[in-house]
Amino acid sequence: AQSVTQLGSHVSVSEGALVLLRCNYSSSVPPYLFWYVQYPNQGLQLLLKYTSAATLVKGINGFEAEFKKSETSFHLTKPSAHMSDAAEYFCAVSVHNNDMRFGAGTRLTVKP
Amino acid sequence: DTGVSQDPRHKITKRGQNVTFRCDPISEHNRLYWYRQTLGQGPEFLTYFQNEAQLEKSRLLSDRFSAERPKGSFSTLEIQRTEQGDSAMYLCASFGLNSYNEQFFGPGTRLTVL
């Protein structure tokens, strides 16, 4: 079965600094990969998704992620953090049966 | 609003009571998913429907939990004899044929069992 591991339950950056949130996946077949963001007491909002087209995926709010098959990774980056980026971020994987598996999440804190 | 909606947004109940949550998916989506999210964790899959058929249930879904989607549109999730361990956010998501496996999430129902 597919799974994801998010390295680092909490990441803290300064405003304007690079954001890097790490995600490694495990899947026996080519996966679909997703990053979702969750603000307090809200549902999940899709940031971006990899669907076997381009390996570098651009999402909303300036985020992007690169699919690296050799490293089984799908890390999320943003060149310059904004205070409004503070939230919980979840990496997820699904395969053909659409059963989506989520990581434990990474809480991003942005310091002024 | 054409997104996924859930009702209620918050529910506080006493241990032993029954609760029911409702999810209205995006209208053209044939698949509907329920997840449970506890504090500090990612969502955990509970069950999903394709149209009105319930196709998969997680072992997390004990016999106190039941879900229905009687007409292939909205779905309900009922928890009987609630326990404090049931306190969590219950998320619903829907999926359509052209979604590239993307699931669209509702705002969730936060359940607190006292």
Side-chain angles (χ1 to χ4, degrees):
Chain A
Q2 67 274 21
S3 65
V4 293
T5 301
Q6 291 184 241
L7 301 175
S9 59
H10 190 194
V11 170
S12 181
V13 300
S14 297
E15 191 174 19
L18 171 71
V19 175
L20 171 61
L21 305 183
R22 300 176 186 273
C23 173
N24 288 88
Y25 71 91
S26 172
S27 176
S28 58
V29 298
Y32 295 100
L33 293 161
F34 307 83
W35 275 100
Y36 284 88
V37 61
Q38 186 178 37
Y39 296 98
N41 295 314
Q42 294 189 24
L44 278 69
Q45 180 184 5
L46 182 72
L47 280 176
L48 49 81
K49 59 185 177 185
Y50 167 75
T51 58
S52 75
T55 56
L56 181 62
V57 181
K58 294 187 184 298
I60 63 171
N61 301 338
F63 284 94
E64 63 181 37
E66 186 172 7
F67 173 72
K68 292 187 176 181
K69 185 178 179 181
S70 61
E71 299 177 9
T72 61
S73 69
F74 191 58
H75 301 332
L76 181 71
T77 60
K78 181 174 180 177
S80 177
H82 192 272
M83 296 297 290
S84 61
D85 294 328
E88 189 89 18
Y89 291 80
F90 293 96
C91 181
V93 61
S94 73
V95 292
H96 55 82
N97 64 354
N98 310 125
D99 183 5
M100 188 171 285
R101 305 286 179 175
F102 288 85
T106 298
R107 180 169 300 276
L108 176 66
T109 301
V110 182
K111 299 175 291 185
Chain B
D1 184 23
T2 58
V4 178
S5 62
Q6 292 186 246
D7 184 70
R9 293 291 307 276
H10 304 275
K11 178 70 177 179
I12 300 174
T13 191
K14 293 182 179 180
R15 188 176 53 188
Q17 298 295 303
N18 299 343
V19 295
T20 300
F21 310 141
R22 175 177 170 130
C23 171
D24 286 87
I26 294 172
S27 59
E28 64 267 25
H29 285 182
N30 61 338
R31 287 199 179 185
L32 185 149
Y33 297 78
W34 285 101
Y35 293 85
R36 182 179 71 184
Q37 185 181 20
T38 53
L39 203 61
Q41 297 297 317
E44 298 172 292
F45 169 78
L46 292 179
T47 187
Y48 89 91
F49 293 83
Q50 180 156 313
N51 300 314
E52 66 275 9
Q54 188 173 16
L55 296 187
E56 187 175 346
K57 293 193 287 187
S58 162
R59 63 179 180 274
L60 294 175
L61 214 66
S62 75
D63 56 6
R64 296 184 298 105
F65 288 69
S66 63
E68 294 183 342
R69 195 183 183 198
K71 298 182 180 179
S73 57
F74 73 91
S75 175
T76 58
L77 177 68
E78 181 183 14
I79 309 174
Q80 296 182 328
R81 305 181 303 281
T82 52
E83 302 173 355
Q84 288 184 326
D86 297 331
S87 295
M89 174 79 89
Y90 290 84
L91 294 165
C92 174
S94 71
F95 165 86
L97 291 176
N98 297 317
S99 298
Y100 286 100
N101 278 30
E102 177 187 348
Q103 295 180 16
F104 293 81
F105 283 81
T109 295
R110 180 166 295 285
L111 173 66
T112 302
V113 182
L114 302 176

